[in-house]
């Protein structure tokens, strides 16, 4: 009914029409006014102190700053293309010399149907072949090396495409450029790259729809040179990205009516004579840069303040049809800034831009340094999953991904899993009134269930894990996960074992583990072993056995009560037998607590290794019930229902209670179908 | 308008029909509900999870049950709670996504029962006088196979609408039209328009089928196809009145749905609350069934008022009893 009454209201709020190219008429007629910004609309250029411009890293730099990008890019609105030129100052911070550079050309994943990315998508669920406007491409027209003498050497003709992961000759997402000379450790080179890119209709996180643009992974980006060689994976369907830290100075030229948001802070805006405006954004100690442009954004700012944490200017770019949901966006961002700041470390950049993406832009729920997207709907969700959970999660990625820059191709769990776990805690604290919700009528109309709470366990994504617990061994490199269940391993299973670890060690220890991990590995690239080492160190325990179970194995956990007997003996006492069973292959120590009718409780510590543990009690009172893992420490147990058994079961009551509404549902369905006859 | 109120009068005058169709709804649903109870009880077993499930929603257990459920167990989802059940069913029908395979047999049985009873129901409303159970079921039996043939033809038309028209409209045309829209508002309005358009197609078929059924019973037609053709003619020639009546009944449906959405019974509370919730839901279903009967009754009234089958509804001619005194009276009257 809400929807019915909303139709008239919605229809009354008209928007401008579109011309034949899909360009907003409002755009052609000229933007209605300057964007709504705070008084600091045009910041002065960053002062040189602390700002690196292709020098060796300055004192006080947070990161190595070995991959620095100076980029000019122009958006051709009618052709839906980008033209770019970048100068990269790159320093070899590995222990080995190299005579080539390797670049990611991510948009070539949508160049044709034979890319690795699309091949992998085809074998996963929900694959739809790209439409003609869904193809993208990135074409490098020039690569030039600047010699120390100042001359440039053209390397364009030496470009090759490589496929280090699967040898797919059709995949062009990795470009190798021989330099013709060696770059020693700590050596620095300047490379100029000129390219054009065809912007796709949204495929995965990037593209255009009408005159809305979200541009990510849009420039040729260097891989990471490690001691073992270049780590430049092809673009795979289940993976994200990996790059080195540096300073970014980016000038984005778009039609003047567009409002632009991007990584970093805007330091200049220049109106050009051709009806375009160049927006300059700069930031340091980041490893990626994304931007968005649309004439329709509502531009809002607020400042996060805290007694002990530095202030953060929050900029929200909101879709007009989501007006009224800005408070939800800001409160979610603040909740994450506050708690992550208190638990792990203060957010250091001083500003963050949150984007409310356009409908069907496929840009929702994604993170970039100081810049991330949420998700809101026309009919606001009463649940806290959108936008709150999404915004909080992407804010959290500023720590886990943005600053602790693990390799998302190989160990996606290190950012997605840690962030999912920690954000679930944030949302549970900050938004306790989170209720379950479903969407009907094409996914457009929400209906919330006030009797079903969205718990922290739900935000650890227990349901998805339970159905796919054995999908992969988590230690498998992410790009080799089965595409349709890769997220389950990275997000769900990791969040659950981290939460299990929290329950096992206690939150204070867990918080110290994560803050130590952050402190040691911020602005660096940790490996899984680095995390496990810190867990052992901070907890004071060798938890290798735990990681063997949850990380190096796909075995599942399932402990249950096989039997509970409590028989009266001739002398009036009771002989109680409890049989605890390990049904799964993975092991974990669990408590077995037997409660008797007289209120007495006996707790046994079972190491969980054997298939069974049998406990016998002879007492004057009959047993009431037994629970395995009553505190539910082991969240990875796929069947918690069998963890308990009572001698006075209420399954009859429970089943009657729920069979009744089910019967009503069935009757309702039958009566509805009877309409047709 | 007159037919609308006449329909309600006829429904009120035959409460046994309403109770009867309601009883069928209960009788058909109950065995499956008992099976579902068994599944739930088996899964809960002697677990303490049943304690919290007996008091309210234990969603953790619920999800665990769903992950291993098969058959009718797969239909045990949160959508069974309160108004969500109605919303889910209507949404599923309009989106062509209602998965009924687990309950297909029960649903088919119910629809067959409705088809059987329809003959007696229309006959009773047409005659406008108590018939008694024997006459009711006799009329149902007489018309059953005709109405069944009609139902099969109608079913084929509905199947074609969903399998081809709906699919083209919503999965091809709608997707193509809206794929470049960046505002959810626009997409929503288009979808509403398509729901109205497709809904209108369903309504047209439903109306024609209803009047075809009425003509089968009232005019004692044997041919389903001729009844359909006659139904179409009737609707075509009196489109305004037919549409107006359908709209009035449809408005009552919307009001009923809105009221139920407002009530939206919750899933928590003790045994008394559970009982009240269940009874409220049964009252809602009674109201839905009464409305379904109202559709038939009012359409029958409209049909009869249009084609003046007055003789059909007249009381039967008096029959003298066989006795000498009656014979004397009869012969004296000549």
């Amino acid at each position: 009914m809400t929807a019915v009454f909303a139709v008239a209201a919605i229809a009354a709020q008209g928007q401008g029409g579109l011309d034949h190219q899909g360009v907003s008429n409002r755009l052609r007629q000229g933007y209605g006014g300057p964007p709504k910004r705070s008084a600091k609309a045009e910041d002065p250029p960053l002062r040189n102190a602390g700002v690196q411009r292709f020098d060796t890293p300055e004192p006080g730099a947070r990161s190595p700053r070995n991959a620095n990008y100076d980029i000019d890019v122009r958006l051709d609105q009618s052709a839906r293309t980008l033209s770019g030129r970048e100068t990269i100052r790159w320093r070899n911070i590995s222990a080995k010399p190299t005579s080539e550079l390797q670049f990611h050309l991510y948009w070539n994943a949508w160049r044709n149907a034979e890319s690795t990315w699309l091949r992998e998508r085809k074998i996963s669920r929900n694959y739809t072949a790209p439409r003609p406007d869904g193809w993208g491409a990135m074409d490098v027209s020039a690569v030039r090396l600047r010699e120390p003498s100042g001359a440039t050497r053209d390397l364009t003709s030496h470009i090759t495409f490589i496929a280090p992961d699967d040898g797919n000759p059709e995949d062009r997402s990795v470009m190798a450029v021989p330099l013709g000379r060696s770059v020693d450790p700590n050596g620095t080179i300047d490379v100029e790259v000129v390219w054009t890119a065809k912007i796709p209709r949204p495929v995965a996180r990037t593209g255009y729809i009408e005159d809305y643009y979200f541009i990510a992974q849009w420039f040729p980006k260097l891989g990471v040179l490690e001691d073992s060689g270049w780590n430049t994976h092809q673009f795979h369907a289940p993976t994200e990205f990996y790059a080195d830290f540096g300073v970014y100075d980016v000038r984005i030229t778009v039609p003047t009516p567009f409002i632009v948001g991007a990584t970093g802070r805007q330091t200049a805006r220049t109106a050009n004579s051709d009806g375009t405006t160049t927006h300059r954004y700069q930031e340091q100690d980041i490893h990626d840069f994304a931007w968005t442009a649309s004439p329709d954004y509502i531009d809002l700012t607020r400042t996060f303040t805290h007694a002990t944490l530095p202030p953060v200017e929050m900029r929200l770019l909101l879709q007009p049809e989501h007006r009224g949901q800005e408070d939800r966006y800001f409160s979610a961002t603040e909740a994450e800034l506050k708690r992550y700041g208190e638990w792990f470390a203060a957010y250091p950049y001083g500003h963050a831009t949150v984007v409310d993406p356009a409908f069907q832009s496929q840009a929702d729920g994604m993170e970039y340094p100081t810049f991330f997207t949420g998700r809101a709907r026309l009919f606001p969700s009463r649940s806290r999953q959108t936008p709150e959970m999404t915004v909080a999660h992407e804010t959290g990625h500023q720590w886990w991904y943005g600053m602790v820059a693990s390799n998302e191709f190989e160990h996606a769990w290190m950012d997605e899993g840690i962030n999912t776990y920690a954000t679930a805690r944030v949302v549970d604290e900050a938004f306790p009134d989170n209720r379950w919700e479903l969407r009907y009528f094409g996914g457009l109309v929400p209906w919330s269930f006030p009797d079903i709470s969205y718990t922290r366990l739900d935000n650890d994504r227990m349901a998805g894990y339970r159905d796919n617990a054995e999908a992969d061994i988590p230690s498998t490199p992410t790009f080799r996960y089965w595409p349709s269940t890769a997220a389950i391993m990275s997000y769900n299973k990791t969040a659950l074992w981290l939460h299990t670890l929290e329950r096992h060690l206690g939150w204070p220890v867990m918080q110290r583990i994560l803050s130590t991990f952050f402190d040691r590995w911020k602005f660096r690239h940790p490996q899984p072993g680095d995390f496990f080492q810190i867990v052992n160190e901070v907890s004071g325990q060798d938890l290798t056995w735990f990681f063997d179970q949850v990380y190096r194995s796909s075995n599942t956990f399932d402990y249950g009560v096989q039997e509970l007997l409590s028989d009266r003996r001739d002398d009036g006492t009771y002989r109680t037998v409890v049989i605890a069973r390990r049904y799964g292959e993975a092991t974990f120590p669990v408590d077995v607590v037997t409660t008797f009718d007289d209120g007495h409780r006996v707790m046994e510590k079972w190491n969980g290794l054997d298939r069974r543990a049998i406990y016998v009690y002879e007492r004057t009172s009959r047993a009431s019930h037994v629970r395995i893992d009553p505190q539910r420490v082991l969240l990875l147990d796929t069947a918690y229902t069998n963890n308990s058994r009572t001698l006075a079961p209420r399954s009859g009551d429970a089943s009657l209670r729920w069979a009744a509404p089910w019967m009503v549902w069935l009757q309702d369905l039958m009566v509805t179908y009877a309409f047709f006859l | 308008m007159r037919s609308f109120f006449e329909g309600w009068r006829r429904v009120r005058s035959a409460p046994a029909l309403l109770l009867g169709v309601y009883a069928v709804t209960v009788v058909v649903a109950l065995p499956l509900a008992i099976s579902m109870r068994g599944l739930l009880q088996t899964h809960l077993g002697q677990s303490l999870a049943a304690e919290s499930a007996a008091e309210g929603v234990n969603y953790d257990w619920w999800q665990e049950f769903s992950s291993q459920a098969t058959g009718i167990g797969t239909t045990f989802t949160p959508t069974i709670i309160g108004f969500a059940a109605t919303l889910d069913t209507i949404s599923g029908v309009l989106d062509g996504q209602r998965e009924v395979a687990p309950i297909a047999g029960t649903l088919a049985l119910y629809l067959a029962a409705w088809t059987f009873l329809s003959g007696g129901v229309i006959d009773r409303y047409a005659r406008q006088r108590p018939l008694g159970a024997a006459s009711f079921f006799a009329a149902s039996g007489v018309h059953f196979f005709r109405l069944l043939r009609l139902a099969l033809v109608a079913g084929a038309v509905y199947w074609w609408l969903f399998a081809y028209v709906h699919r083209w409209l919503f999965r091809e045309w709608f997707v193509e039209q809206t794929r470049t829209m960046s505002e959810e508002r626009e997409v929503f309005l288009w979808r509403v328009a398509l729901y109205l358009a497709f809904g209108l197609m369903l309504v047209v078929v439903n109306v024609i089928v209803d009047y075809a059924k009425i003509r089968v019973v009232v005019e004692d037609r044997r041919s389903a196809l001729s009844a359909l053709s006659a139904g179409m003619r009737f609707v075509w020639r009196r489109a305004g009145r037919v549409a107006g009546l359908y709209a009035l009944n449809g408005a009552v449906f919307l009001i009923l749905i809105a009221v139920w959405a407002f009530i939206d019974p919750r899933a928590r509370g003790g045994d008394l609350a559970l009982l009240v919730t269940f009874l409220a839901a049964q009252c809602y279903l009674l109201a839905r069934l009464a409305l379904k009967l109202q559709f038939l009754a009012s359409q029958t009234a409209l049909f009869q008022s249009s084609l003046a089958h007055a003789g059909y509804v007249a009381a039967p001619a008096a029959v003298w009893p066989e006795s000498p005194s009656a014979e004397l009276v009869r012969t004296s009257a000549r």
Side-chain angles (χ1 to χ4, degrees):
Chain A
M1 285 305 290
T2 304
V4 171
F5 289 118
V7 168
I10 290 165
Q13 298 176 40
Q15 294 291 324
L18 303 173
D19 66 10
H20 67 282
Q21 291 179 316
V23 177
S24 164
N25 285 335
R26 197 156 73 93
L27 176 62
R28 292 207 178 277
Q29 291 158 9
Y31 179 55
K36 298 177 180 59
R37 287 182 55 81
S38 64
K40 295 169 66 180
E42 294 191 353
D43 295 329
L46 295 176
R47 298 187 302 279
N48 274 338
V51 177
Q52 169 181 319
R53 294 176 62 88
F54 306 106
D55 298 325
T56 52
E58 294 198 3
R62 300 186 189 107
S63 71
R65 296 188 186 177
N66 65 301
N68 306 292
Y69 293 79
D70 185 283
I71 307 176
D72 284 282
V73 63
R74 170 179 283 266
L75 167 67
D76 186 330
Q77 162 79 336
S78 57
R80 310 285 193 182
T81 59
L82 298 175
S83 302
R85 176 190 298 269
E86 64 185 7
T87 302
I88 307 169
R89 169 157 285 202
W90 178 76
R91 182 163 57 85
N92 180 358
I93 59 172
S94 78
K96 301 276 179 65
T98 184
S99 58
E100 72 167 3
L101 295 179
Q102 293 186 1
F103 290 82
H104 291 286
L105 303 180
Y106 287 108
W107 286 15
N108 280 340
W110 312 306
R111 192 180 192 94
N112 56 54
E114 293 306 316
S115 69
T116 294
W117 195 94
L118 274 171
R119 282 184 181 180
E120 290 173 355
R121 261 292 175 96
K122 280 180 204 172
I123 60 175
S124 63
R125 291 176 292 193
N126 301 321
Y127 170 74
T128 305
R131 305 285 294 275
D133 57 2
W135 300 106
M138 195 176 279
D139 292 306
V140 173
S141 56
V143 180
R144 290 185 276 268
L145 178 67
R146 279 195 198 153
E147 300 287 8
S149 62
T152 58
R153 182 150 56 86
D154 193 336
L155 303 176
T156 312
S157 61
H158 303 293
I159 289 172
T160 59
F161 294 98
I162 60 175
D165 298 331
D166 62 3
N168 178 5
E170 305 295 331
D171 190 76
R172 292 191 160 195
S173 61
V174 179
M175 175 179 77
V177 183
L179 296 171
R181 69 171 177 84
S182 178
V183 182
D184 292 331
N186 220 35
T188 299
I189 55 171
D190 288 349
V191 176
E192 184 181 277
V193 183
V194 180
W195 82 97
T196 57
K198 180 178 180 299
I199 308 171
R201 279 271 288 117
V203 180
R205 314 179 188 95
T206 191
Y208 74 90
I209 182 167
E210 291 187 309
D211 49 11
Y212 169 92
Y213 292 84
F214 196 92
I215 305 296
Q217 311 308 328
W218 53 281
F219 57 98
K221 193 196 297 185
L222 282 169
V224 176
L225 180 62
E226 300 174 337
D227 291 348
S228 55
W230 281 100
N231 190 310
T232 318
H233 287 285
Q234 295 160 250
F235 195 11
H236 295 270
T239 67
E240 293 185 350
F241 318 105
Y242 181 43
D244 275 329
F245 287 91
V247 175
Y248 280 71
D249 188 346
V250 181
R251 291 162 296 281
I252 305 165
T253 301
V254 296
T256 296
F258 279 98
I259 298 170
V260 172
T263 295
R265 195 189 288 276
Q266 185 169 40
T267 56
R269 187 164 64 225
T270 307
N272 304 314
S273 59
D274 59 356
T276 64
T277 298
T278 300
H279 303 256
R280 185 178 187 184
Y281 279 81
Q282 292 175 288
E283 190 55 80
Q284 42 204 356
D285 303 308
I286 56 174
H287 54 74
D288 197 2
F289 190 100
W291 55 279
T292 182
S294 167
D296 299 323
Y297 280 129
I298 298 172
D299 195 342
L300 303 167
T301 56
R302 275 188 207 174
T303 302
F304 164 77
T305 56
H306 187 278
T308 57
L309 298 171
V312 178
E313 182 186 275
M314 302 179 292
R315 182 189 184 198
L316 171 63
L317 298 176
L318 188 71
Q319 295 296 319
E321 65 178 1
H322 297 150
R323 195 188 307 262
Q325 298 189 55
E326 54 270 20
D327 285 346
R328 299 180 67 172
Y329 265 99
F330 283 124
S331 67
T333 308
E334 286 171 338
E336 197 85 351
L337 288 171
K338 172 183 187 297
R339 285 166 180 78
Y340 270 35
E342 291 170 352
W343 298 342
F344 310 134
Y347 180 77
Y349 296 103
H351 61 91
T353 300
V354 191
V355 178
D356 173 34
F359 189 61
Q360 300 192 114
S361 66
Q362 298 198 32
D364 51 341
M366 190 56 193
E367 72 279 4
Y368 307 90
T370 77
F371 181 73
F372 47 93
T373 63
R375 182 184 296 130
R377 302 299 302 270
L378 174 66
F379 295 112
S381 172
R382 282 196 213 169
S383 149
R384 297 297 195 163
Q385 295 306 100
T386 58
E388 285 86 353
M389 179 66 193
T390 305
V391 172
H393 182 89
E394 306 311 331
T395 309
H397 269 306
Q398 301 310 302
W399 281 256
W400 313 113
Y401 147 85
M403 290 181 271
V404 176
S406 49
N407 187 335
E408 293 186 308
F409 286 99
E410 297 178 359
H411 313 297
W413 69 269
M414 295 186 76
D415 68 302
E416 297 297 355
I418 292 178
N419 194 40
T420 299
Y421 151 76
T423 300
R425 190 183 173 92
V426 171
V427 171
D428 194 53
E429 279 190 18
F431 306 107
D433 57 342
N434 201 358
R435 296 287 179 258
W436 225 74
E437 185 174 274
L438 287 176
R439 287 191 161 257
Y440 296 103
F441 301 108
L444 298 169
V445 178
W447 186 260
S448 78
F449 294 80
D451 295 321
I452 304 180
S453 296
Y454 223 99
T455 65
R456 188 177 163 190
L457 199 58
D458 294 312
N459 277 325
D460 286 338
R461 313 191 189 191
M462 179 68 183
Y465 163 73
R466 188 185 281 119
D467 294 341
N468 300 281
E470 298 174 300
D472 265 304
I473 298 174
S475 58
T476 306
T478 307
F479 70 92
R480 296 207 187 281
Y481 282 169
W482 183 250
S484 58
T485 53
I488 304 288
M489 290 296 110
S490 300
Y491 292 72
N492 307 39
K493 184 169 183 180
T494 306
L496 286 165
W497 67 249
L498 283 167
H499 197 169
T500 295
L501 201 56
E502 175 191 315
R503 293 187 171 193
H504 183 61
L505 298 174
W507 167 243
V509 174
M510 196 66 186
Q511 184 258 320
R512 281 207 314 276
I513 286 171
L514 289 171
S515 62
T516 303
F517 179 57
F518 179 86
D519 187 56
R520 289 190 192 166
W521 288 97
K522 59 182 185 282
F523 304 106
R524 299 171 68 189
H525 302 307
Q527 294 286 315
D530 300 316
F531 178 76
F532 301 145
Q533 180 269 319
I534 288 174
V535 171
N536 291 342
E537 174 191 327
V538 174
S539 69
Q541 302 177 34
D542 183 357
L543 289 166
T544 305
W545 61 269
F546 177 71
F547 298 118
D548 285 343
Q549 300 292 319
V550 303
Y551 180 71
R552 301 183 187 99
S553 156
S554 61
N555 289 340
T556 57
F557 296 86
D558 181 12
Y559 287 91
V561 178
Q562 179 177 333
E563 193 58 81
L564 170 64
L565 301 168
S566 194
D567 299 323
R568 186 186 175 92
R569 303 175 69 172
D570 293 339
D571 59 3
T573 60
Y574 289 87
R575 186 168 190 272
T576 298
V577 178
V578 174
I579 304 177
R581 174 82 183 268
R582 176 170 64 85
Y583 293 99
E585 297 305 312
T587 60
F588 190 85
V590 291
D591 294 338
V592 181
V593 177
T594 306
T595 303
F596 296 85
D597 283 343
D598 62 3
H600 188 75
R601 296 170 74 230
V602 179
M603 183 167 74
E604 309 284 357
K605 296 276 187 191
W606 180 27
N607 62 14
L609 295 177
D610 291 336
R611 278 293 175 188
R612 287 180 190 78
I614 301 175
Y615 304 98
V616 179
Y617 309 102
E618 299 194 11
R619 297 183 53 77
T620 56
S621 175
R622 188 171 179 255
S624 169
H625 57 267
V626 60
R627 288 183 194 264
I628 296 176
D629 189 20
Q631 303 302 317
R632 200 149 186 203
V633 174
L634 180 61
L635 291 166
L636 292 159
D637 192 321
T638 55
Y640 193 67
T641 300
N642 67 4
N643 278 45
S644 61
R645 186 172 287 210
T646 174
L647 293 179
R650 292 193 63 195
S651 54
D653 295 339
S655 57
L656 176 63
R657 179 190 187 88
W658 289 106
W662 184 86
M663 179 173 157
V664 170
W665 166 82
L666 178 60
Q667 290 174 286
D668 186 296
L669 187 143
M670 294 193 302
V671 169
T672 301
Y673 274 74
F675 158 83
F676 295 100
L677 292 180
Chain B
M1 187 69 87
R2 195 180 311 136
S3 301
F4 175 77
F5 289 110
E6 175 62 19
W8 281 115
R9 188 194 69 75
R10 297 188 190 193
V11 171
R12 279 198 316 273
S13 70
L17 286 187
L18 176 59
L19 292 175
V21 296
Y22 169 72
V24 169
T25 307
V26 172
V27 165
V28 171
L30 194 58
L32 222 54
I34 293 171
S35 293
M36 175 59 80
R37 187 189 177 194
L39 289 178
L40 299 176
Q41 189 164 5
T42 299
H43 189 264
L44 283 167
Q46 291 177 275
S47 172
L48 286 168
E51 301 265 331
S52 53
E55 300 300 327
V57 177
N58 179 342
Y59 194 52
D60 189 43
W61 159 74
W62 198 325
Q63 292 181 92
E64 188 182 319
F65 174 84
S66 297
S67 71
Q68 54 80 58
T70 56
I72 63 168
T74 61
T75 62
F76 185 68
T77 68
T79 56
I80 66 172
I81 299 175
F83 181 68
T86 301
L87 196 62
D88 184 64
T89 298
I90 295 175
S91 172
V93 169
L94 287 178
D95 288 334
Q97 290 177 348
R98 177 76 263 167
E99 181 54 59
V100 298
I103 54 163
T106 298
L107 186 59
L109 177 64
Y110 183 74
L111 296 179
W114 249 115
T115 303
F116 175 76
L117 294 172
S118 293
V121 166
I122 295 171
D123 185 77
R124 168 62 180 83
Y125 288 144
R127 293 182 187 275
Q128 298 184 75
R129 54 182 170 80
L131 297 174
S135 296
F136 173 83
F137 285 111
S140 297
V142 164
H143 299 296
F144 172 59
F145 285 102
R146 306 169 196 179
L147 293 178
L148 183 62
R149 289 193 294 274
L150 191 58
L152 290 174
V153 173
V157 174
Y158 285 127
W159 172 82
W160 178 80
L161 279 176
F162 277 99
Y164 291 95
V165 177
H166 186 281
R167 184 175 178 166
W168 178 78
L169 269 180
F170 286 86
R171 298 189 196 183
E172 294 180 25
W173 192 85
F174 173 76
V175 171
E176 187 62 36
Q177 287 299 119
T178 61
R179 64 185 293 270
T180 58
M181 292 178 185
S182 63
E183 290 187 22
E184 192 173 356
R185 175 187 301 115
E186 283 184 78
V187 174
F188 175 73
L189 290 176
W190 272 107
R191 197 161 185 100
V192 169
L194 285 189
Y195 284 147
L196 291 174
F198 187 73
L200 188 61
M201 293 180 210
L202 294 180
V203 166
V204 167
V205 173
N206 180 241
V207 162
I208 292 172
V209 169
D210 276 354
Y211 284 100
K213 286 191 295 190
I214 291 167
R215 296 198 83 153
V216 161
V217 174
V218 173
E219 297 174 339
D220 198 23
R221 288 175 179 263
R222 306 298 175 101
S223 167
L225 290 177
S226 80
L228 266 175
S229 170
M232 263 190 265
R233 282 198 307 276
F234 182 85
V235 171
W236 178 255
R237 291 170 181 169
R238 294 161 189 81
R241 294 175 67 193
V242 167
L245 177 61
Y246 202 96
L248 278 173
N249 287 325
V252 174
F253 172 73
L254 291 177
I255 292 170
L256 176 60
I257 296 296
V259 169
W260 187 236
F262 179 76
I263 294 172
D264 186 28
R266 304 288 287 271
R268 59 177 185 221
D271 291 345
L272 182 61
L274 175 68
L275 183 62
V276 168
T277 298
F278 183 75
L279 291 176
Q282 297 305 309
C283 290
Y284 160 70
L285 289 164
L286 259 174
R288 288 275 302 272
L289 288 167
L291 183 59
K292 173 66 179 173
L293 293 176
Q294 154 68 1
F295 268 85
L296 289 175
S298 59
Q299 287 165 339
T300 302
L302 176 62
F303 177 76
Q304 289 177 309
S305 69
S306 300
L307 292 186
H309 288 279
Y312 179 79
V313 302
V319 174
W320 290 98
E322 283 299 318
S323 69
S325 55
E327 186 176 340
L328 182 60
V329 170
R330 193 168 57 243
T331 53
S332 301
R334 287 204 194 108

